[in-house]
Amino acid sequence: MRGYAGKFLEVDLSTGSIKELKFDDEILRQYIGGRGLAAKILWDRLGDRWETVDPLGPENIFLMLTGPLTGYAPGARLCVSGKSPQSNGVVGSTLATELAIDLKCAGYDGVIFIGESEKPVYLFIKDSDVQIKDASHIWGKDCKETFKILVREGREELEGRYKSRGLWREPSAVYIGPAGEKRSRLAIVAAKWVHAAGYGGYGAVMGSKKLKAVVAKGTGPLPEAYDMEGTMKVVDEILKINFKGSVLRRWGTGYLGYDVGANLSSEPVRNWQEEWHDKKSFGADQFERVWAKRYWGDFGCPLTCLKLAVIRSGPLKGAITDNPDYENQAYLGTNLGIFTPEENVYMTSLIDDLGLCGIQTGNVLGFAGELYQRGILTKEDLDGLELNWGNAEAFASLTRMIAERRGIGDILAEGTYRAAIKISEMKGVDVLKYAVISKGISIGAHGVRSGKDYPGYESYACSVQGGDHTSIAKLPIDDANSEFRIMLYDSGVFCWFNFFDLKAQELVWSLLEAVTGWKITPEEWFGTTARRILHIQRTLLLLGGPDAKWTPKKDDDVPPRWYEPLHEGPHKGKAVSPEKLKEARSKYYEAVGWDENGIPKTEELKRLGLEDLDKRLEKIRKNT
Amino acid sequence: MSETGRIWIARDYSRCSGCRRCEIVCSLHHEGKIWPEASRVRVFMLVPGVEIPHLCVQCSDYPCVNACPVNALSVDKRTGAVIVDKERCTACGECIEACPGKIPHIHPAENYAVICDLCGGDPKCVEACREGGWNALEIIRREDIPTLSLYAKTPEEITRNVIRKIYGEEWEGMV
């Protein structure tokens, strides 16, 4: 078994105790790392009482995991997980950060946080020296300031202790912003000013544990690969594919803010009331004027698809973000009726600083915008804001109210699903029908009505990660975008984008073998390994609780909005067909070993050695 | 006067993508492993978006070589690179003190200073940077001009300059 550092840290934030632990090789072979291992750890430790575990209580577990391929597969990422305060299931949420490399070079495959601290703290790791440090002076700081303090303190700490070794390079850091501290369910785990793990809402979990950040410097080599020469040969082939000039390399996803609307009619416009627009002001050619760096990326990445955007003059001067990428262009642009690069960069820079997720926040802002449009939310409800479409300043003010939990912001900070329930009660009208969500998670900016984009009707309805556009239910199960394949990337923990190419997708199996020494065939992955992970995630999602529960099949649906026909554009009139959705859903259930209600079948669970899941599903089966 | 055959690694920090492929190939070449902290080129990121590949500039007066109390450092006559004799080096850190950019550092696992050796005239970091099309590191023919030595600066000094270029001077306080 190679590719692993071989040990994990367990940090009890309640008692301050820190210990090392190991997993059996067999567990690692079955669950790999990252998302897969997160599902396994959470099931083993909390599965028997899942329904009662408050995602924002001390009982929840916060995980920060790498995988065996992290650092070898081009484009390193880190996976964060735990019981999600959005879906009440498990989301394997990843972000690009060198912390993944520093952890492994320090000798750890991941960190398991339990309990909760009384005072704000951060974890500081220098190889095997691990300390819990006070974070009172950083609590309340925005993300840019937080990064600055952590880097400065981290270098001082290193230089103070190990003087004669020369200049210390900065340690890497992941952290939360003010929104996470306030336990907003929209809160991200952040890195490098503009990077985020948004799906799942794990910034709130860190906040609930008073864990402001994790800072690490590992001075060792990356854990050795089983076959180093073979590994580097495969890596080289993957690099060559991604070095080639391509649309993705040139613009990242930063050309899609125009294209997905104009070409595919699947972009959220004004809270998904439309999915088509032809705003040429929002084209990549217009974003060129704010891009200060064309190729920007993270450890080992050949693609470097990020573009650094900076507003150097005018009223929005000082806004900095990446691209924005497509999701942020859509959710903090078109979804709010904003169609200018500067305002879009400004909104994105703001959510970065506050530690909010662009997708979740843009979704709830759009939702509020529609309630304002319909007169359900008034100027008075919004502390005087006139939340008209395209009014970037008003949307920015509302974003600050959310981060600070001020006024209506306190309700919206709970995310679209929970806010919709609360506002429905407050106003005596059903507003849940305007919420574009799946299992409490706002849906990514790729609609299904036009039929032109990559997700299908069943994609968000049946995903174990709800609205997560990076992990969708799709057939065949080995499809390039299927949840089963993404699970491999999120468990090996590396970036999906360097594997868009079909040839690269084939190479992943030999890379996995060269690094770990395990011959995991596609048949084994799609037939066994991935299924175990899927069933655990599905089971925990269905167990849910304490504040939200999902009914199998009934909640495996698209949001009501998508049954409404598109009003504009070349795909005008198209909507989700209920019959076709039912058909696609049944087909998906069947293909992944779930019964007609979407509950993992007994014989399937037995085949995979997951009898304990089966027992926990009995009650759900009876009630369905 | 041109010193025929000698090269210099020119650096354009604002083009650095932060991918650290230079560190990967450097450590693979010198250590046989991916080992960022043992790399002869280290990319500092004191401020996101401002990535600084930090590596030896081969000053014309070689202050590090002159400062070494045990004669562990020498200049490769062919390439002009500073060569560290691992056996002699005591990791005392005098070379680091002498370097205007504080560029050398002590190997994370062994007791000797780590300095770019130009890979014997064919630097792997430059190749990786070129292959990726970033060209933040580029080979130029070395000429005996004092300008080259000016590039021996600390990451903080370089970062401040690049911040001004990318973000504007009001962000200099971030370092």
Side-chain angles (χ1 to χ4, degrees), chain A residues 71-72 74-75 98 101-102 105 144-145 147-148 151-152 155 159 164-170 175 192-194 217-224 228 232 235-236 239-240 243 249 292-293 295-304 308-312 317-320, chain B residues 13-21 23-24 28 32-38 42-51 54 91-93 96 101-102 104-111 128 131-134 154-156 163-171 173-175:
Chain A
Y72 285 110
E98 280 73 28
I101 302 300
D102 272 313
C105 290
K144 287 200 180 79
E145 191 66 20
F147 180 93
K148 182 177 98 173
V151 164
R152 192 172 282 173
R155 288 189 82 204
E159 270 158 23
S164 64
R165 303 203 79 84
L167 277 192
W168 275 95
R169 184 157 46 156
E170 78 287 344
Y175 45 87
K192 296 170 83 165
W193 282 6
V194 296
K217 174 53 70 196
T219 68
L222 203 64
E224 224 172 305
M228 197 62 183
M232 295 324 291
V235 167
D236 233 42
L239 292 178
K240 287 207 168 71
F243 279 149
R249 192 162 206 254
K293 193 179 251 193
Y295 297 112
W296 193 41
D298 305 276
F299 189 88
C301 184
L303 204 55
T304 54
L308 198 61
V310 181
I311 308 295
R312 293 285 302 259
K317 182 179 167 176
I320 295 172
Chain B
Y13 304 110
S14 60
R15 295 181 66 103
C16 176
S17 71
C19 76
R20 298 157 205 249
R21 294 221 60 87
E23 294 178 8
I24 293 173
L28 279 170
K33 294 170 183 171
I34 296 179
W35 196 343
E37 292 305 332
R42 295 188 298 170
V43 178
F44 281 74
M45 189 200 68
L46 304 177
V47 170
V50 184
E51 283 79 5
H54 203 227
C92 70
I96 304 169
K102 306 280 175 279
H105 55 110
I106 307 299
H107 190 281
E110 292 173 63
N111 242 16
E131 213 186 353
W134 302 292
T154 63
E156 286 83 351
I163 283 178
R164 197 178 299 188
K165 184 169 170 177
I166 295 179
Y167 294 132
E169 59 186 358
E170 63 275 22
W171 291 90
M174 279 292 167
V175 180

Side-chain angles (χ1 to χ4, degrees), chain A residues 1 23-32 518 532:
Chain A
M1 180 203 62
F23 289 96
D24 291 345
D25 288 9
E26 194 49 31
I27 298 280
L28 294 176
R29 196 187 194 283
Q30 285 183 1
Y31 295 95
I32 311 293
W518 295 327
R532 276 200 196 95

Side-chain angles (χ1 to χ4, degrees), chain A residues 29-30 509 518-532:
Chain A
R29 196 187 194 283
Q30 285 183 1
W509 309 106
W518 295 327
K519 189 160 181 55
I520 297 176
T521 60
E523 292 69 35
E524 184 184 341
W525 178 261
F526 292 110
T528 306
T529 316
R531 283 186 183 237
R532 276 200 196 95

Side-chain angles (χ1 to χ4, degrees), chain B residues 2-175:
Chain B
S2 157
E3 293 164 273
T4 319
R6 284 198 180 181
I7 57 161
W8 192 66
I9 300 176
R11 45 218 89 185
D12 182 346
Y13 304 110
S14 60
R15 295 181 66 103
C16 176
S17 71
C19 76
R20 298 157 205 249
R21 294 221 60 87
C22 52
E23 294 178 8
I24 293 173
V25 296
C26 177
S27 56
L28 279 170
H29 180 72
H30 290 97
E31 310 281 345
K33 294 170 183 171
I34 296 179
W35 196 343
E37 292 305 332
S39 172
R40 278 61 178 162
V41 50
R42 295 188 298 170
V43 178
F44 281 74
M45 189 200 68
L46 304 177
V47 170
V50 184
E51 283 79 5
I52 308 297
H54 203 227
L55 72 166
C56 179
V57 309
Q58 298 89 31
C59 298
S60 47
D61 56 348
Y62 293 99
C64 56
V65 177
N66 296 330
C68 179
V70 294
N71 291 321
L73 304 189
S74 61
V75 179
D76 183 305
K77 288 201 173 61
R78 192 172 54 84
T79 63
V82 175
I83 305 299
V84 182
D85 183 335
K86 295 182 194 177
E87 306 305 320
R88 281 193 184 181
C89 180
T90 61
C92 70
E94 290 293 330
C95 56
I96 304 169
E97 285 307 310
C99 174
K102 306 280 175 279
I103 294 167
H105 55 110
I106 307 299
H107 190 281
E110 292 173 63
N111 242 16
Y112 64 88
V114 168
I115 301 177
C116 167
D117 64 359
L118 290 172
C119 296
D122 181 21
K124 303 292 174 229
C125 55
V126 178
E127 194 185 309
C129 201
R130 184 180 51 231
E131 213 186 353
W134 302 292
N135 296 310
L137 300 178
E138 265 185 313
I139 290 176
I140 62 170
R141 201 173 70 226
R142 187 183 173 99
E143 291 187 32
D144 190 15
I145 53 170
T147 290
L148 304 187
S149 307
L150 298 179
Y151 281 78
K153 291 274 192 298
T154 63
E156 286 83 351
E157 292 173 289
I158 304 168
T159 300
R160 270 183 218 108
N161 279 343
V162 182
I163 283 178
R164 197 178 299 188
K165 184 169 170 177
I166 295 179
Y167 294 132
E169 59 186 358
E170 63 275 22
W171 291 90
E172 277 177 41
M174 279 292 167
V175 180

Side-chain angles (χ1 to χ4, degrees), chain A residues 492-529:
Chain A
V493 196
F494 52 93
C495 185
W496 176 26
F497 280 25
N498 289 303
F499 294 85
F500 279 179
D501 181 273
L502 286 176
K503 180 89 201 311
Q505 274 166 41
E506 284 166 25
L507 287 168
V508 83
W509 309 106
S510 35
L511 182 61
L512 185 60
E513 186 181 350
V515 173
T516 62
W518 295 327
K519 189 160 181 55
I520 297 176
T521 60
E523 292 69 35
E524 184 184 341
W525 178 261
F526 292 110
T528 306
T529 316

Side-chain angles (χ1 to χ4, degrees), chain A residues 568-586:
Chain A
E568 280 182 357
H571 297 280
K572 185 174 166 177
K574 285 196 183 167
V576 171
S577 139
E579 289 70 36
K580 282 195 178 141
L581 168 70
K582 277 180 200 156
E583 203 181 299
R585 186 171 59 195
S586 297

Side-chain angles (χ1 to χ4, degrees), chain A residues 20-96:
Chain A
E20 290 180 356
L21 59 93
K22 290 183 179 189
F23 289 96
D24 291 345
D25 288 9
E26 194 49 31
I27 298 280
L28 294 176
R29 196 187 194 283
Q30 285 183 1
Y31 295 95
I32 311 293
R35 175 172 168 181
L37 191 60
K40 172 68 176 161
I41 293 171
L42 292 164
W43 171 256
D44 283 351
R45 294 189 179 211
L46 301 175
D48 62 343
R49 55 184 187 287
W50 190 259
E51 302 93 314
T52 63
V53 174
D54 176 3
L56 301 179
E59 231 190 328
N60 197 7
I61 294 168
F62 175 62
L63 300 166
M64 208 171 245
L65 305 173
T66 67
L69 268 56
T70 309
Y72 285 110
R77 290 178 84 83
L78 178 74
C79 179
V80 297
S81 195
K83 183 169 182 177
S84 162
Q86 290 168 2
S87 73
N88 300 40
V90 174
V91 175
S93 197
T94 72
L95 78 163

